[in-house]
Amino acid sequence: TSLLVAAFGINDSIKNVVSDQYDNIYHIDYTVTFDKDLSEEEKQEFIDENSSVISACLFLNTLSVDARSGDSVKSVNMIVIDEDDSINKFIDLHNEDGPISFPGKDECVINDNLAQTLGLETGDTLTVFDSDMREMNLKIAALCENYVYNYVYLSRVSYEEQWGHMETNSAFVLGITDEGGEVTDPSGDGAYLMKADNVASVSITKDFRDRISSMMKSMNYIIMLVVGCAGALAFIVLYNLTNINITERIREIATIKVLGFYPNETSAYVFRENLILTAIAAVVGLPVGKILHTFIIHQIKIDLMSFNMHIQPLSFLLSVFMTFIFAGIVNFVMYFRLEKISMTESLKSIE
């Protein structure tokens, strides 16, 4: 039961990573990188030239920085946005307590996985360094949910006060969608954006999303392996227990057959103990499985990806159900051995 709970829990924790990240947090269709700092006129020209594939656009500055806390150093993506710009259409900053306001002056919002890795909490000071080793100190205003990569969000005012002029080197883009809310040709629209002036690269969210989904599917084989091991363990343990039980009580079983017990009554007399033991073990196995699941998730967690650690109620029920299925298979196999016990065994003297 513990192995099954852990296996189904791993599936519950990782199967929704892509949808949680790109449906509930990031709503962008394309990330456009420019080869220069765009002026206000060039920003408007970009929107006008690509109006056939753009429904909304958010210009910003993105750069890779090193976040440090004590001896820990992690590479993170810094997102700098004008405070007047609404990012809710593109990024939903939230945590389990609800929506998060965009950080104010000298403040930032970081994702919870980064905070856990660096040992930081809300109210602590985050120190980051860019490629030129310029230092920036920001107060952590809140921790947001995020499952792919590590991010630190701050306003343009905070950036320019410590590091000077903010370059506009990127843009988050929402594409033109159909009635179902899907971009009809993301690859084609991405190629169209690539032809625009000053565009260095275009990252298509759907392609990246598909790659992560493909990676997550490989976990299904691991889950199947664990389920198979759980079934083998249950079968071996119950088979041996039942075999010993029948061997040591063979005269007793033969006697109740002589007394006129029907085959089903005889098997119930023996296998009832198996079912009771299975029920007790299943109840004990549920919390143990939850502990095992927590341990495994912490072991497979990586810096650039985190998982929503939880187990669905259905997974607990399915684990108990499958445990009883394994027990039922053992009982079915051993039923035929009971049938072969001769009633003359009850007449043998005890040696």
Side-chain angles (χ1 to χ4, degrees):
T1 303
S2 298
L3 287 173
L4 291 172
V5 169
F8 292 131
I10 293 172
N11 182 62
D12 293 337
S13 298
I14 69 174
K15 68 179 180 181
N16 292 325
V17 166
V18 173
S19 59
D20 287 341
Q21 180 71 23
Y22 296 107
D23 290 338
N24 301 330
I25 299 176
Y26 270 64
H27 308 302
I28 59 178
D29 296 314
Y30 313 97
T31 301
V32 180
T33 303
F34 302 106
D35 55 15
K36 56 172 291 188
D37 178 18
L38 295 189
S39 64
E40 293 300 322
E41 294 77 11
E42 290 171 327
K43 293 179 186 178
Q44 190 59 48
E45 288 177 4
F46 173 78
I47 295 175
D48 294 339
E49 291 176 1
N50 301 281
S51 58
S52 60
V53 297
I54 292 179
S55 63
C57 182
L58 174 66
F59 293 98
L60 62 150
N61 176 271
T62 61
L63 66 159
S64 178
V65 298
D66 289 332
R68 298 186 182 181
S69 177
D71 296 331
S72 299
V73 180
K74 298 297 177 184
S75 178
V76 301
N77 296 315
M78 177 179 283
I79 306 294
V80 188
I81 305 172
D82 285 340
E83 288 183 276
D84 295 334
D85 291 330
S86 175
I87 69 168
N88 295 334
K89 187 184 296 185
F90 303 86
I91 305 175
D92 183 5
L93 294 179
H94 67 272
N95 53 30
E96 58 184 13
D97 296 326
I100 297 174
S101 301
F102 197 74
K105 182 180 178 182
D106 295 329
E107 292 182 336
C108 69
V109 171
I110 66 174
N111 59 294
D112 46 13
N113 183 47
L114 175 62
Q116 183 177 358
T117 303
L118 296 178
L120 298 173
E121 299 178 351
T122 302
D124 292 344
T125 299
L126 174 70
T127 302
V128 298
F129 296 86
D130 65 0
S131 57
D132 297 326
M133 295 306 295
R134 292 184 300 174
E135 180 179 342
M136 179 184 294
N137 295 301
L138 300 164
K139 179 182 178 182
I140 301 175
L143 306 180
C144 65
E145 288 185 4
N146 193 80
Y147 303 103
V148 181
Y149 294 142
N150 292 316
Y151 290 97
V152 52
Y153 303 93
L154 65 152
S155 66
R156 181 170 189 159
V157 173
S158 300
Y159 181 96
E160 293 188 338
E161 183 172 282
Q162 299 195 46
W163 282 356
H165 173 69
M166 184 199 86
E167 295 184 354
T168 301
N169 60 7
S170 303
F172 289 158
V173 176
L174 299 181
I176 303 296
T177 59
D178 54 21
E179 294 180 356
E182 299 290 335
V183 178
T184 55
D185 185 15
S187 297
D189 292 349
Y192 185 87
L193 289 171
M194 190 66 199
K195 298 176 182 178
D197 294 336
N198 305 315
V199 173
S201 64
V202 176
S203 175
I204 304 174
T205 301
K206 184 180 184 302
D207 291 346
F208 186 65
R209 177 175 181 160
D210 291 342
R211 287 198 297 271
I212 296 179
S213 295
S214 179
M215 292 169 54
M216 292 296 103
K217 287 180 181 178
S218 62
M219 293 294 293
N220 292 334
Y221 298 106
I222 298 176
I223 294 168
M224 291 172 60
L225 176 63
V226 176
V227 172
C229 290
L233 176 63
F235 187 85
I236 292 171
V237 171
L238 287 173
Y239 180 86
N240 284 312
L241 285 175
T242 307
N243 190 46
I244 294 171
N245 190 10
I246 294 176
T247 301
E248 293 184 346
R249 301 170 61 187
I250 191 167
R251 295 182 71 254
E252 177 186 347
I253 297 170
T255 300
I256 65 174
K257 294 180 73 173
V258 170
L259 294 176
F261 277 52
Y262 290 106
N264 289 338
E265 293 175 325
T266 304
S267 60
Y269 180 78
V270 177
F271 297 147
R272 186 183 297 113
E273 297 175 6
N274 275 5
L275 295 177
I276 293 173
L277 287 173
T278 301
I280 295 173
V283 171
V284 175
L286 292 176
V288 176
K290 188 173 182 180
I291 295 172
L292 180 60
H293 165 256
T294 302
F295 172 78
I296 294 174
I297 291 297
H298 278 101
Q299 298 308 306
I300 65 176
K301 184 178 292 186
I302 58 179
D303 289 341
L304 299 182
M305 184 173 292
S306 61
F307 304 106
N308 184 9
M309 189 166 58
H310 71 287
I311 305 175
Q312 298 285 355
L314 180 62
S315 295
F316 288 110
L317 295 176
L318 192 58
S319 298
V320 174
F321 175 75
M322 291 189 67
T323 301
F324 275 95
I325 290 295
F326 294 144
I329 293 174
V330 173
N331 290 346
F332 176 76
V333 172
M334 299 304 292
Y335 174 84
F336 298 99
R337 183 176 176 190
L338 289 177
E339 285 294 289
K340 294 179 181 179
I341 295 177
S342 173
M343 289 185 284
T344 58
E345 293 288 338
S346 65
L347 302 178
K348 292 183 178 180
S349 60
I350 301 177
E351 296 180 358

